[in-house]
């Protein structure tokens, strides 16, 4: 009897193998857009949905013939139920361009339940996606849901429907708009492109400038996607307990936001000014501590064959957290970034943004007004100055 059962089990396994092998997707995938989730938000600012459809707008950087999305419940404490999802090109507002709407499935099913702490990838869908396209991702949430995993600085209008599954509606019946990306963390395309991931403590999408410049080129750099994993207020070494929407520290989120990005070839580190700004006499920070953090990220990136560009820290004299002691710390860190030779390249954001007449402050023409974050002209200058590596 045991021999019979063993033979039967072997036959079942062998019979099942061809069907399983045919279902595997062995394509090369590259992220074309991405955002870093944070949270959970405080109750007062938590987005809540109940039997509603989200239509979230993102911009591709590189194109492809097949697409898939990544959804995140990584900061949730309960399972997240997705009833349906679709993708298409946007024409205007919440409207879809005719003929571009595609259904998304998850393991062949129209919906998926994502466990707390986990992400989910959709199956591929056939869609001719151009570079720099406006893409609409529609997600139906059949129950009462709180957006515990969210990127709040979308700087892009998203749409929330009236009750019901409206994922297939060419024009969404809009109840309200939001300026955040709940649950959606990546749009991926098929092909052999590569991705540049920018990991930092700012989120004003200067990376869009870089993506447009790359697409205007005629060399291999035009095949590089630009993925912004910046989070406003983010730190290199530790979390901000008073601001969960600033995200986990760069050291803590590195695997999720960098290594898990499909096709990543290059990493640009532009982080550390928030660590310096929150240094205090009671909790002082040293250059050695920041350098140790950078070295950890360099080592972890190199282990995955990812080239690393180090961005110097921009001036912040006049900002609320500025002091002469913190300025000395910034200068020491920048000197190490420039001269250590530990990065594959250096992006000297300090020199791009500083006022030549007073290098400890932003050039007034680039100052957003808080003396810490650049304005649109400043971010344009950053995008134009970004050095590139490994463009083949």
């Amino acid at each position: 009897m045991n021999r019979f059962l063993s033979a039967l089990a072997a036959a079942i396994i062998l019979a099942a193998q061809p069907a399983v092998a045919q279902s595997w997707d062995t394509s090369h995938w590259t992220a074309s857009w991405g955002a870093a989730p944070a949270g959970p938000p405080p109750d007062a600012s938590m987005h809540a949905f109940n039997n509603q459809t989200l239509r979230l707008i993102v911009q591709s950087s590189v194109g492809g013939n097949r697409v898939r999305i990544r959804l995140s419940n990584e900061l949730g404490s309960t399972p997240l139920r997705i009833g349906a999802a679709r993708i298409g090109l946007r024409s205007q507002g919440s409207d879809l361009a005719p003929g571009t709407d595609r259904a998304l499935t998850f393991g062949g099913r129209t919906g998926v339940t994502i466990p707390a702490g986990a992400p989910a990838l959709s199956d591929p869908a056939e869609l001719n996606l151009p570079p720099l396209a406006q893409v609409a991702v529609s997600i139906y949430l059949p129950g009462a849901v709180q957006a515990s995993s969210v990127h709040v600085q979308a700087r892009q209008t998203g749409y929330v429907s009236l009750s019901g599954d409206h994922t297939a509606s060419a024009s969404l019946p809009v109840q309200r708009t939001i300026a955040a990306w709940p649950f959606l963390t990546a749009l991926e395309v098929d092909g052999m492109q590569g991705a540049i991931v920018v990991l930092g403590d700012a989120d004003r999408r200067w990376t869009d400038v870089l993506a447009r410049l790359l697409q205007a080129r005629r060399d291999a750099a035009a095949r590089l996607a630009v993925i912004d994993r910046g989070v406003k207020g983010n730190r290199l070494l530790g979390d901000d307990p008073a601001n969960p929407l600033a995200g986990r520290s760069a050291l803590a989120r590195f695997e999720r936001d960098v290594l898990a990005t499909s096709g990543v070839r290059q990493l640009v580190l532009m982080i550390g000014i928030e660590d310096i700004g929150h240094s205090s006499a009671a909790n002082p920070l040293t250059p050695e501590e920041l350098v140790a953090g950078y070295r950890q990220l360099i080592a972890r990136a190199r282990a995955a064959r990812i080239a690393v560009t180090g961005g110097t820290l921009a001036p912040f004299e006049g900002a609320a957290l500025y002091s002469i002691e913190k300025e000395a710390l910034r200068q020491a860190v920048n000197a190490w970034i420039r001269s250590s030779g530990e990065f594959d390249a250096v992006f000297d954001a300090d020199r791009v943004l500083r006022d030549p007449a007073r290098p400890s402050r932003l050039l007034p023409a680039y100052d957003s007004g808080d003396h810490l974050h650049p304005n649109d002209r400043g971010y344009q200058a950053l995008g134009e100055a970004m050095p590139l590596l490994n463009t083949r």
Side-chain angles (χ1 to χ4, degrees):
M1 180 63 72
N2 288 340
R3 289 180 181 177
F4 172 77
L5 291 176
S6 297
L8 179 61
I12 292 171
I13 292 170
L14 288 172
Q17 281 179 344
V20 172
Q22 290 173 7
S23 70
W24 291 344
D25 182 6
T26 58
S27 302
H28 295 277
W29 290 91
T30 299
S32 180
W33 167 89
D43 291 342
S45 59
M46 182 90 71
H47 289 285
F49 313 103
N50 191 353
N51 186 31
Q52 291 173 294
T53 300
L54 309 183
R55 183 158 289 171
L56 306 177
I57 310 302
V58 303
Q59 179 175 285
S60 65
S61 53
V62 293
N65 295 317
R66 295 197 303 163
V67 296
R68 68 183 185 185
I69 64 170
R70 179 183 171 110
L71 299 175
S72 174
N73 191 24
E74 288 157 293
L75 296 160
S77 58
T78 59
L80 171 64
R81 184 182 169 202
I82 306 295
R86 300 181 76 91
I87 190 169
L89 302 183
R90 178 173 80 151
S91 59
Q92 61 181 359
S94 66
D95 294 349
L96 299 177
T100 67
D101 180 41
R102 303 288 187 272
L104 293 171
T105 57
F106 302 85
R109 299 184 177 184
T110 57
V112 64
T113 297
I114 308 174
L121 279 172
S122 75
D123 301 328
E126 302 288 333
L127 177 65
N128 184 11
L129 178 68
L132 306 178
Q134 292 285 299
V135 182
V137 177
S138 301
I139 304 167
Y140 172 51
L141 304 169
V145 177
Q146 291 187 314
S148 53
S149 301
V150 60
H151 187 92
V152 294
Q153 295 285 334
R155 302 187 182 278
Q156 172 70 62
T157 300
Y159 304 90
V160 183
S161 77
L162 300 172
S163 295
D165 179 2
H166 300 283
T167 54
S169 299
S171 182
L172 196 76
V174 177
Q175 182 195 74
R176 69 182 192 273
T177 60
I178 55 176
W181 287 308
F183 311 123
L184 180 64
T185 59
L187 166 67
E188 300 182 359
V189 298
D190 64 345
M192 294 294 292
Q193 300 98 320
I196 302 170
V197 174
V198 179
L199 188 70
D201 50 21
D203 183 28
R204 283 289 296 274
R205 304 209 350 233
W206 64 266
T207 49
D208 288 353
V209 176
L210 177 59
R212 289 193 295 270
L213 291 172
L214 291 179
Q215 287 303 312
R217 295 174 59 143
R218 296 182 179 273
D219 59 9
R223 293 177 60 81
L224 288 174
V226 183
I227 308 302
D228 185 354
R229 300 291 192 184
V231 182
K232 184 177 180 181
N234 193 229
R235 300 184 191 181
L236 170 64
L237 300 178
D239 303 345
D240 183 352
N243 183 14
L245 293 177
R248 301 293 306 279
S249 72
L251 289 171
R253 66 189 182 97
F254 186 77
E255 270 73 16
R256 183 195 70 199
D257 291 341
V258 179
L259 298 188
T261 301
S262 295
V264 57
R265 292 186 188 177
Q266 299 182 36
L267 169 65
V268 180
L269 284 177
M270 296 187 66
I271 193 163
I273 200 67
E274 290 288 340
D275 299 74
I276 291 173
H278 287 87
S279 177
S280 65
N283 189 22
L285 181 66
T286 67
E288 291 75 18
E289 289 173 300
L290 284 171
V291 166
Y294 292 129
R295 283 175 168 155
Q296 278 290 313
L297 295 186
I298 292 169
R300 288 156 71 181
R302 294 260 174 78
R305 300 181 181 274
I306 298 169
V308 187
T309 296
T312 56
L313 305 181
F316 70 121
E317 181 183 352
L321 296 173
Y322 176 84
S323 72
I324 295 175
E325 293 77 16
K326 294 174 183 178
E327 172 63 14
L329 179 55
R330 183 184 75 90
Q331 293 286 359
V333 171
N334 280 352
W336 178 83
I337 292 172
R338 292 187 181 108
S339 64
S340 68
E342 298 195 31
F343 293 97
D344 296 289
V346 172
F347 180 22
D348 207 335
D350 174 37
R351 288 181 179 166
V352 173
L353 296 173
R354 72 191 183 194
D355 184 350
R358 189 162 183 165
S360 58
R361 72 178 183 183
L362 291 171
L363 186 71
Y366 292 163
D367 193 339
S368 66
D370 66 1
H371 312 300
L372 175 63
H373 298 98
N375 58 18
D376 289 342
R377 287 185 62 189
Y379 285 114
Q380 177 79 25
L382 280 180
E384 293 172 350
M386 173 69 202
L388 297 177
L389 295 169
N390 299 338
T391 56
R392 292 186 178 182

